[in-house]
Amino acid sequence: MESKKILIVDDDIDVITIIETILSQKGYNVISATNKVEGMRKIRNEKPDLAILDVMMTTHYEGFELAKELTDDPELRKLPILMQTSIDILTTTKPDVQSMAREFRKNPGFKELHVILVKDINSGKAGVDYLSENGESIWFPVDGFVRKPVDGKKVLTEIDRILGE
């Protein structure tokens, strides 16, 4: 069986090195990029099976912007995305995570949050709702989240779930 190719997009070389070491030991072929432009180029050229994206790189939302570009692109939208973040993840038992994010956005306790990450604990469906610089609410689905700092076991568990390993 050919090993799966995983792209890590993160501006922190130490994080790339740690994740690359963990994944390589498990037989994954790992490639990396340090920003959105390089990440998109490698996605188009290398055709990875999964992308792990950091959120804050050159800009606060660069990882979100890359994920949104991928989900909007008909040729790339099937690429599984695992967001790597230190932002708290809100959980729900409702499979329509986008409508749940919109509900959270209406709640006075969450209304002012610039970023809302939502995951259905039953189905694993997940997504991001963030406010652009002009205050527009932007939504896109992702395949999961992993917390920073990196926990190797949790990263592998999420990758195995997403790739069906």
Side-chain angles (χ1 to χ4, degrees):
M1 180 176 106
E2 187 177 323
S3 68
K4 301 277 185 170
K5 189 183 296 184
I6 298 176
L7 170 67
I8 304 165
V9 183
D10 196 313
D11 63 339
D12 187 331
I13 298 302
D14 293 334
V15 170
I16 289 174
T17 302
I18 291 167
I19 296 175
E20 186 171 21
T21 301
I22 293 166
L23 298 181
S24 295
Q25 288 175 350
K26 290 294 183 181
Y28 290 107
N29 179 7
V30 183
I31 53 177
S32 63
T34 58
N35 60 53
K36 179 175 90 170
V37 172
E38 183 183 8
M40 186 59 92
R41 186 175 69 249
K42 288 200 175 178
I43 287 166
R44 292 195 185 283
N45 294 337
E46 302 279 340
K47 310 270 189 266
D49 297 293
L50 171 74
I52 300 174
L53 309 179
D54 184 30
V55 174
M56 292 194 316
M57 292 181 279
T58 307
T59 67
H60 278 358
Y61 297 147
E62 188 169 352
F64 291 155
E65 293 163 0
L66 176 53
K68 179 72 170 135
E69 280 185 42
L70 293 172
T71 59
D72 287 348
D73 187 312
E75 293 177 23
L76 303 174
R77 71 170 43 133
K78 292 192 189 283
L79 175 65
I81 300 169
L82 187 57
M83 295 302 304
Q84 182 177 248
T85 181
S86 57
I87 300 168
D88 288 333
I89 300 156
L90 303 174
T91 57
T92 182
T93 55
K94 297 182 180 179
D96 186 352
V97 289
Q98 182 175 7
S99 67
M100 199 64 224
R102 299 295 185 211
E103 288 300 314
F104 279 123
R105 181 78 55 213
K106 292 177 191 172
N107 182 315
F110 299 104
K111 193 175 189 171
E112 297 303 316
L113 290 179
H114 287 269
V115 177
I116 296 177
L117 308 180
V118 182
K119 180 176 182 176
D120 172 17
I121 58 174
N122 295 322
S123 70
K125 289 183 179 180
V128 176
D129 182 304
Y130 76 98
L131 297 177
S132 67
E133 289 182 15
N134 65 5
E136 176 189 1
S137 180
I138 298 173
W139 165 264
F140 60 90
V142 294
D143 296 277
F145 301 105
V146 289
R147 300 272 309 159
K148 277 186 150 182
V150 176
D151 178 327
K153 288 182 182 177
K154 289 182 180 175
V155 170
L156 288 171
T157 299
E158 277 297 286
I159 290 170
D160 289 348
R161 179 187 65 79
I162 292 168
L163 295 178
E165 307 266 306

